Amino acid sequence: MTDTDSEPYSADSTVFGSVSSPATSQQSPASLLSSGDAEEEVGKVAGTEDSTPLKFHVALSPDAYLQLDDVVSTRREIPGRGTVVTSGVVTEVVARHEGAAFGSDVFLIADGILPANVQEIAEVTTTRVDPECYVPPRPGEVAIRAAGTARDAALYFDRMDARVPAGIGRDGEPIYLNLEFLDGTRGAHVSISGISGVATKTSFALFLLHSLFTSGALGARAVNAKALIFSVKGEDLLFVDQPNARLDDTLRAAYAQLGLPARPFASAGFYAPPLPGDTTGRPHVTGRTSGVTAFWWTLAEFCERELLPYVFADTEDEKNQYTIVVHQVTSRLRREAQAAGNDGAVAVDGTILRTWAEMIDFICDKVTDDLTRPDWAGPAIGLGTVNAFVRRLRSSQRPLGPLLRGDLSTVTDRPVAHSIDTSQQQVTVVDLHNLPERAQRFVVGVVLAAETDRKEQAGPGGLLFTMVDELNKYAPREGSSPIKDVLLDIAERGRSLGIILIGAQQTASEVERRIVSNSSIKIVGRLDAAEAGRPEYGFLPASQRQRATLARPGTMFVSQPEIPVPLAVEFPFPAWATRLSEVAAPTFTTSSAARPDPFSRLPQAESGPWPDDTDDGAIDEPPY
């Protein structure tokens, strides 16, 4: 089940305002404030609170209001420097009675007995000062609610050469991301955190991909831009190429507000593991049986591409010695394995191996036999180390058996029919939900390593946005594994290769620090209160940390390098189907076969369940 299963929200729950036209980079905010936009005065800079260049307070007029996330600007004349405009985002608003000394005074004030005034004061965190003359706004200066070109200038939208719509702000205006921090020009990678089921992490990641591919921000590069999505929560992502049955005029207007088409992903390919026990290589899916390709690796590919280290993908202590045996066996298989036929089987030392179970037995015999152990396990390797290797290898037999095959014939004119190929479509979805965790780790590690090698050989030019859900499972903070090494490599030098990581996790505090720190864009949905207090969320102001524990599905806090304050956005309901029931007019076939009975292999009683010759006095119930 994806995030969207348990967190539907109304497509018309967001109030959308008018689109603001982008400001030209040649104009300064001072000129933008007087460029013809209607200025709405909301109050004056307060004198009862300290005013600094980075934070100031606005005392609101009796007939005005400011809410969290509103954009406010004020200007000050500086001798010799001209007009300095200080703009910021409202991060806190307080209201109080001026003149009240006790809590009970509120009743006297309400009855008109005690004179007092209601005063609201908004805290504004500075986002931009232009020109860069960092002086505090003076008390008494007029504060306006920034709109139009003034708002674009306050949030640096006017300096973004390519803008990617990220959703609608609290003021009803679009919020944008700078493409240069997404495509590797000045930064890359996205980290999305939040509680499973209510944080809409998967939904927002898909919306971001849709925005990247359809907004026009990529320009001509959109042709060579691809997305690789690993799905671990059911078959819901197998329908992203189908229109959502809930798509109506209101939802279309919401997408039009952002300059995006309300349509599903036009070019998508789907992969799933083969059905266990099936020798024809059918994909293990039920909701959608057509348009889905089964993937696996032949034993010949396993040996040639040195995939054995990914079998040991569980996070382990770096001091474990059995990894020496892993690399020794990997090298031996690469040198000695020979293809046997066209079904992926291999011959090693005269023994033909067709299944993963046979491969495991063969390796275990080689590393435990006294005569072959030095060649296969390495010289001076103790029996305890070998046994540790054998135990872990044998435990992989059941989870990896369906994926490592030498008993499925490949099509001669299309030898890569069983391989995951991202080059034939813009969006590639790899369904992993039917695989055990160990098999999921194997697939993610092998596929990412292959894509990294492919991008290194192809050189820069194309972009591959890789979406990995439950990133904390593949790159945990402690320990090491081959998959974690691949993800670290992508995080640290992936942008130079054109590989952009979009990682989603429930808890960023449990993800490798270097991966989170290398993410230019950080996004937070609904958070657990304990998790919100972690230092990994230090980029959130105190008020936003508290709000993150109350955020409803569809609300995200987006942080990007150019804007010092994260911005709250709401994104529209998916225009693509997020489950089979939302597919309006299916263009595929579904499986009518019933799921196998999990109790079918249990021994059956010889007589019927309701013998006629016994009577225990109980009330009869219908047989199952």
Side-chain angles (χ1 to χ4, degrees):
M1 176 176 76
T2 60
D3 289 341
T4 55
D5 281 339
S6 57
E7 52 196 39
Y9 60 94
S10 174
D12 58 358
S13 62
T14 304
V15 179
F16 297 100
S18 59
V19 178
S20 59
S21 58
T24 59
S25 58
Q26 288 77 15
Q27 291 177 287
S28 68
S31 63
L32 293 174
L33 284 173
S34 57
S35 60
D37 293 322
E39 295 184 2
E40 180 187 350
E41 181 178 338
V42 293
K44 299 183 183 298
V45 177
T48 56
E49 305 284 349
D50 291 340
S51 182
T52 72
L54 302 181
K55 184 175 292 185
F56 61 96
H57 297 76
V58 174
L60 301 183
S61 304
D63 57 346
Y65 78 96
L66 283 175
Q67 65 173 329
L68 297 177
D69 307 313
D70 275 349
V71 184
V72 177
S73 293
T74 183
R75 52 178 174 250
R76 174 181 174 181
E77 296 294 332
I78 304 296
R81 298 296 297 269
T83 303
V84 174
V85 177
T86 303
S87 304
V89 173
V90 176
T91 52
E92 190 60 275
V93 183
V94 297
R96 61 187 176 187
H97 269 136
E98 291 183 336
F102 305 99
S104 59
D105 287 348
V106 65
F107 301 102
L108 300 176
I109 296 172
D111 294 337
I113 300 174
L114 184 66
N117 291 325
V118 176
Q119 182 61 62
E120 294 185 30
I121 296 182
E123 175 191 82
V124 181
T125 301
T126 301
T127 57
R128 185 171 179 178
V129 178
D130 199 278
E132 290 189 355
C133 179
Y134 286 90
V135 294
R138 278 191 170 179
E141 295 287 357
V142 173
I144 69 165
R145 189 194 312 272
T149 53
R151 174 181 178 272
D152 286 348
L155 301 179
Y156 288 90
F157 295 159
D158 62 320
R159 291 192 176 182
M160 296 181 182
D161 294 331
R163 308 187 303 185
V164 179
I168 297 295
R170 294 288 299 165
D171 58 358
E173 300 282 341
I175 297 293
Y176 300 98
L177 297 177
N178 192 341
L179 180 64
E180 292 184 351
F181 293 102
L182 281 172
D183 64 359
T185 302
R186 298 165 61 187
H189 312 310
V190 180
S191 175
I192 309 176
S193 305
I195 298 175
S196 178
V198 293
T200 56
K201 301 185 298 295
T202 303
S203 299
F204 186 81
L206 289 173
F207 172 78
L208 182 59
L209 290 174
H210 174 75
S211 182
L212 280 164
F213 294 150
T214 62
S215 64
L218 288 172
R221 292 184 299 168
V223 178
N224 294 322
K226 310 289 184 181
L228 174 62
I229 302 172
F230 293 100
S231 174
V232 296
K233 297 179 180 177
E235 298 183 7
D236 297 346
L237 299 189
L238 298 181
F239 312 107
V240 296
D241 62 335
Q242 304 292 313
N244 196 313
R246 300 169 63 179
L247 185 62
D248 54 16
D249 292 340
T250 302
L251 187 55
R252 291 186 180 91
Y255 277 88
Q257 174 75 15
L258 295 167
L260 302 174
R263 66 171 187 237
F265 293 91
S267 175
F270 306 96
Y271 292 86
L275 190 66
D278 182 75
T279 58
T280 61
R282 290 181 299 169
H284 190 189
V285 290
T286 56
R288 176 176 187 160
T289 55
S290 64
V292 181
T293 303
F295 69 87
W296 69 90
W297 288 266
T298 66
L299 294 181
E301 292 172 333
F302 178 83
C303 298
E304 179 184 356
R305 295 170 55 182
E306 301 182 344
L307 302 184
L308 182 62
Y310 297 100
V311 174
F312 303 84
D314 294 334
T315 303
E316 299 284 356
D317 189 344
E318 295 178 353
K319 297 179 180 179
N320 282 326
Q321 299 296 314
Y322 78 89
T323 55
I324 300 175
V325 183
V326 173
H327 295 294
Q328 182 73 12
V329 174
T330 301
S331 300
R332 193 81 180 184
L333 290 175
R334 181 180 57 83
R335 292 195 307 267
E336 298 192 8
Q338 302 291 329
N342 67 343
D343 55 2
V346 293
V348 186
D349 283 351
T351 302
I352 296 180
L353 309 174
R354 297 189 180 278
T355 65
W356 178 235
E358 294 175 356
M359 174 76 78
I360 291 176
D361 291 338
F362 177 83
I363 294 174
C364 291
D365 290 341
K366 291 296 183 180
V367 298
T368 55
D369 187 272
D370 292 338
L371 296 178
T372 56
R373 186 192 308 158
D375 293 332
W376 280 83
I381 296 297
L383 192 58
T385 301
V386 170
N387 289 337
F389 167 82
V390 170
R391 286 195 306 270
R392 289 166 173 81
L393 181 62
R394 286 200 177 280
S395 67
S396 71
Q397 178 173 327
R398 184 171 183 177
L400 296 184
L403 297 176
L404 300 174
R405 312 289 290 266
D407 58 347
L408 297 176
S409 298
T410 57
V411 181
T412 56
D413 59 346
R414 192 182 176 191
V416 294
H418 62 283
S419 300
I420 296 174
D421 185 8
T422 61
S423 64
Q424 301 302 313
Q425 59 279 326
Q426 189 169 54
V427 176
T428 302
V429 177
V430 181
D431 178 40
L432 305 177
H433 84 281
N434 279 321
L435 293 176
E437 274 198 20
R438 186 165 185 176
Q440 292 179 8
R441 292 190 182 97
F442 177 84
V443 174
V444 172
V446 171
V447 173
L448 288 181
E451 290 297 325
T452 302
D453 293 340
R454 183 183 64 83
K455 293 290 290 182
E456 285 181 335
Q457 296 174 6
L463 292 174
L464 178 65
F465 296 92
T466 304
M467 175 183 157
V468 181
D469 201 358
E470 297 185 12
L471 185 61
N472 54 297
K473 182 171 66 177
Y474 304 109
R477 176 151 298 187
E478 305 297 335
S480 63
S481 71
I483 297 178
K484 183 176 178 179
D485 293 339
V486 172
L487 288 168
L488 270 173
D489 186 40
I490 292 175
E492 293 177 341
R493 69 183 187 98
R495 73 187 188 101
S496 64
L497 301 175
I499 303 179
I500 311 302
L501 178 64
I502 302 177
Q505 60 278 325
Q506 296 184 39
T507 53
S509 60
E510 297 180 359
V511 178
E512 168 61 42
R513 288 184 179 90
R514 286 179 289 172
I515 293 180
V516 176
S517 62
N518 276 288
S519 299
S520 297
I521 308 295
K522 295 180 176 64
I523 301 169
V524 172
R526 177 77 170 265
L527 286 178
D528 176 78
E531 178 68 10
R534 302 280 187 178
E536 286 74 19
Y537 304 95
F539 61 91
L540 292 174
S543 61
Q544 288 192 355
R545 287 198 186 199
Q546 184 176 0
R547 289 170 61 195
T549 64
L550 306 172
R552 65 177 183 176
T555 299
M556 314 297 285
F557 299 94
V558 180
S559 173
Q560 55 183 320
E562 280 185 323
I563 306 176
V565 181
L567 303 177
V569 304
E570 294 186 5
F571 62 99
F573 193 83
W576 48 90
T578 60
R579 57 178 67 91
L580 180 59
S581 61
E582 291 180 352
V583 179
T587 60
F588 53 85
T589 59
T590 60
S591 175
S592 59
R595 291 183 176 271
D597 182 6
F599 304 104
S600 60
R601 296 187 179 182
L602 293 177
Q604 302 294 324
E606 294 182 0
S607 60
W610 303 101
D612 296 331
D613 56 348
T614 60
D615 184 6
D616 59 0
I619 299 176
D620 288 344
E621 296 179 359
Y624 293 105

